[in-house]
Structures are given as structure tokens and as C-alpha cells.
Amino acid sequence: MSIPNSIAASAEQMKGWRQHLHAHPELAYDCHETAAFIAARLREFGVDEIHEGIATSGIVAIINGQGNGPTIGLRADMDALPIIEQTGVPHASTVTGKMHACGHDGHVTMLLGAAKYLAETRAFTGRVALIFQPAEEGDGGARTMVEEGIMDRFDISRVFGIHNWPNKPLGLMMTNPGPIMASVDTATVTLRGKGGHGAMPHTTVDPVTAMVSLVQALQTIVSRNTSALDQLVVSVTQIHAGSASNVIPGEAWMTATIRSFTPEIRKLAEERFRAIVAGQAASFGVEADIDYDLGYPPTINHADQARFAADVAATLTEVDADVPREMGAEDFSYMLEARPGAYMFLGTGPGAGLHSANYDFKDEIAPLGAAFFARLVEAAQPVREG
Ligand SMILES: [Zn+2]
Ligand SMILES: [Zn+2]
């Protein structure tokens, strides 16, 4: 690795920031203390502009380089998870039931490390927009920041983000030239029939029989409506009905998670899901309500930006530029819908997985993430000699 000396020299300071953030986790849009900590560091570094309160507690900060040029966006998420921490580390969460179990404390730290270096050295043209977003874990803070206009307001031309990835080789940076994470949609279906005595089913309209058939029929979305070369998951994850062995209930409900990698397959899955529910309900004489909730879209890298990011990463560490996609989801997808860019995974070696109560971000990896962000800016917007 060839981490810039000043970033390597900040390793202990970065560890201090990261462990402070880890001890003080905040959830969803309520990242006000985290944002105040970030803004205080950015002021110490002497960045040029700090815009707070975007998407409730988000920040966009600007560092000016040398002369005119485009603005590159670098994004870190700030929020924690509603988990009771079990690590037992000295810097463990001081708030019961809140925990940085996805390493967003580390993501903030890596972007702060890059900000400190970039504000000192300014060896780039144009500007850097440092994007600190709340509410990655389900509430779409990235979408809110995009909706509040950050891309146009700060004239951001392209965007990049990193997520740490346990149980991949320490320091390995990974990306690919297309979809890298899935969309996540959630369906809730309620079937309403007519309850009655279990001994006299002909006097009822049985939602249990209808539900069993429906769950079977939904399997054909993947097996009979989707090309074997495309990727789609339709998992029915809950079925609830009934309260006694001799009573046919009046109602049954279920939930499903639907995940895919392209807008086309995502749309097909929703259309088939709705049609199958309607058809099955009609055939059994039950009424059906569907709540089909569109969550995060697929995270789709722009091929040339992914290649550029991989090339920059390769000057620092080992790179896999064609890593297999992940079925998890990420709201950075909204930023990649708004602007070209790419998302990278950063391997952190063996240990507890993301969202585990035993997880802790690996501080030793933070200088590499900071160096990647910094080199990305210098390579994207180089200072021309003479
Ligand atoms: Zn997470
Ligand atoms: Zn995360």
C-alpha cells in the first residue's frame, strides 16, 4: 500500500474519532450529535463551506481546489442500528439498544480523514463535496438528500461511496461495472374470506387454503416468468392465520421480500406479483389487499466510473474490479440514479458480520479508505502543470 504519509500519520486520530462515534450511535434521521461532531472536525480542517441540516441532520461540505473545474461528490453514511451491542469493547455503545453495527462510524471517519488531507494539500482542480448522510438503514436518507437538491445545488458531477465488508481479505477493494447491490421491495398481502367451523368448511370461504395456493403460485415468478440468466428473489417470509384447531379463520396475511438488479426485472416482478394475487384470490373467492412497498432501487455502478475507481484503488491496494453482486441493498443507489459514479466494498478481514451485535469496525483499515477518497479526487480532477 502507498498511503500518503500525512494520512498514515492521522491513523491514531482517526481511531479516536471512530471510537468516539461508535460510543455515541444515533438512528435514522436523528444524527444531530454525529453531525455536530463532523462539523466541528471540518471547521478544524478549514474546509471552505459547511452546509448543515440537509435531510434533517445531513451535511454537505465543500473544499475548493486550485482553479475552476468540476465538483466530485464523496459520500459517507452516519446512522447506526437498533441493536443491543455485545462486543464488550471499551468504546462500546453508551446508548442501550443503539449500535454502530454496520460500520458507518468507520465510513464517517474515512471521509473525515480524506477531508483533513484534501483541505491541507488541495492538489486538485475544481471542488470536492463531502456528503454525510443520515438514515441509510431503511429510511432512505440518500433519497431525501437528492430530493432536497444537493446534486444541482452543489453542481456535483459524479459520486463515489465505500462500504466496509467483513470476511473479505483485509484491504481488498471490490467493485464491478454494473449492478452491485439489489433493489429491496416488500409486499404484504391480506386475504379475506368468511370464517366458520372447521368441521363444516363448505359454509366458509377459507383464506388458509387460498394462501397456501398463493404462496406456491408466487414461486412461478422466478421459475416461469424470469429468464434463467436474470437474477430475482421472491421470498415469502411470514404467513399468519387462525387461532384454534377447529376454527377456519376469516383472514390470513403474509409478507414477502422481492429483490432484483435491474429496473426491468423489478417491474416484471411487481406486475406478476399483483396479477397472481388477484387471479388466485378470484379463483378462491377471497378478497385480497396488496401493500407493495418499493424500497431502495438496485445500486448500479456506471461502468466507466467503476473502472476509474478500481484503477485509483489499484495504486493503493489489491483490487477486484469484477466482484459478484450482493443481494443486500443500499440507498447510495439514489445518488447513482442522479449522477454517474461507483460504489466500492472494502474488505476488513475475518470477524463478526455486518448487523451483528458482535461487530466492530476495523480501525486499521480507515487510512486506506481515506487515502482512496483522497486519491480519487486528485486523479479525477488533476492539477495541470505549467
Ligand atoms: Zn447496514
Ligand atoms: Zn451499512
Side-chain angles (χ1 to χ4, degrees):
M1 291 184 204
S2 65
I3 309 267
N5 289 338
S6 63
I7 291 181
S10 299
E12 276 305 303
Q13 194 178 26
M14 291 172 71
K15 186 174 169 182
W17 301 334
R18 208 285 298 180
Q19 296 190 351
H20 171 86
L21 292 166
H22 190 88
H24 301 92
E26 295 177 290
L27 300 183
Y29 284 97
D30 185 23
C31 289
H32 296 284
E33 296 297 322
T34 305
F37 179 86
I38 291 166
R41 300 290 80 71
L42 294 172
R43 271 189 281 277
E44 289 168 9
F45 306 157
V47 308
D48 296 287
E49 300 170 28
I50 302 174
H51 303 270
E52 297 176 76
I54 302 171
T56 308
S57 56
I59 293 176
V60 176
I62 301 291
I63 304 173
N64 295 322
Q66 304 174 24
N68 291 329
T71 302
I72 184 171
L74 307 176
R75 172 271 202 169
D77 39 15
M78 305 190 287
D79 57 320
L81 284 156
I83 292 176
I84 298 172
E85 181 161 352
Q86 307 286 346
T87 61
V89 296
H91 56 274
S93 173
T94 57
V95 192
T96 305
K98 297 183 188 178
M99 175 187 176
H100 269 295
C102 205
H104 300 182
D105 48 351
H107 301 168
V108 167
T109 297
M110 293 191 294
L111 191 51
L112 283 175
K116 180 169 187 257
Y117 169 88
L118 290 166
E120 277 167 14
T121 54
R122 307 203 185 225
F124 58 95
T125 56
R127 310 188 302 167
V128 184
L130 309 160
I131 305 168
F132 295 91
Q133 75 148 88
E136 192 287 322
E137 298 286 2
D139 290 335
R143 180 183 55 200
T144 308
M145 290 192 93
V146 171
E147 284 173 356
E148 290 188 14
I150 62 165
M151 296 300 173
D152 292 334
R153 179 177 168 195
F154 300 106
D155 197 23
I156 293 167
S157 63
R158 45 178 161 168
V159 284
F160 295 89
I162 303 178
H163 207 296
N164 79 102
W165 216 259
N167 300 308
K168 294 282 189 182
L170 184 76
L172 176 67
M173 296 199 73
M174 297 154 274
T175 190
N176 74 22
I180 189 164
M181 298 192 81
S183 59
V184 53
D185 301 328
T186 306
T188 304
V189 178
T190 305
L191 299 182
R192 286 194 190 84
K194 178 168 166 279
H197 203 300
M200 290 168 278
H202 61 289
T203 65
T204 72
V205 179
D206 181 5
V208 174
T209 312
M211 184 61 82
V212 169
S213 180
L214 172 60
V215 172
Q216 296 289 352
L218 289 171
Q219 306 309 309
T220 64
I221 300 173
V222 173
S223 70
R224 289 297 173 269
N225 303 141
T226 308
S227 163
L229 300 178
D230 286 320
Q231 288 152 320
L232 173 68
V233 168
V234 179
S235 291
V236 174
T237 46
Q238 302 184 79
I239 300 178
H240 296 271
S243 56
S245 65
N246 57 357
V247 177
I248 290 173
E251 213 174 272
W253 65 272
M254 61 90 133
T255 62
T257 185
I258 300 102
R259 294 170 185 244
S260 62
F261 289 101
T262 68
E264 294 77 23
I265 297 295
R266 187 186 195 198
K267 184 160 169 281
L268 170 112
E270 182 184 358
E271 284 170 2
R272 289 303 301 150
F273 194 101
R274 289 182 181 278
I276 288 170
V277 170
Q280 289 277 314
S283 76
F284 284 93
V286 295
E287 282 176 27
D289 288 339
I290 309 176
D291 178 9
Y292 201 98
D293 181 44
L294 295 175
Y296 297 168
T299 303
I300 303 177
N301 285 329
H302 297 241
D304 48 348
Q305 303 302 328
R307 203 174 307 115
F308 169 70
D311 288 347
V312 170
T315 67
L316 296 166
T317 188
E318 293 292 309
V319 174
D320 179 351
D322 197 17
V323 74
R325 41 187 76 167
E326 293 282 340
M327 280 326 298
E330 165 59 64
D331 77 349
F332 189 64
S333 51
Y334 293 104
M335 294 194 182
L336 289 179
E337 285 186 339
R339 289 294 186 271
Y343 195 60
M344 302 283 291
F345 298 134
L346 173 55
T348 57
L354 300 174
H355 294 205
S356 160
N358 291 306
Y359 167 90
D360 191 27
F361 181 83
K362 290 253 174 68
D363 286 305
E364 65 207 86
I365 206 70
L368 174 59
F372 168 73
F373 275 139
R375 289 287 190 233
L376 201 59
V377 174
E378 293 174 347
Q381 296 163 200
V383 177
R384 306 269 173 226
E385 298 299 325

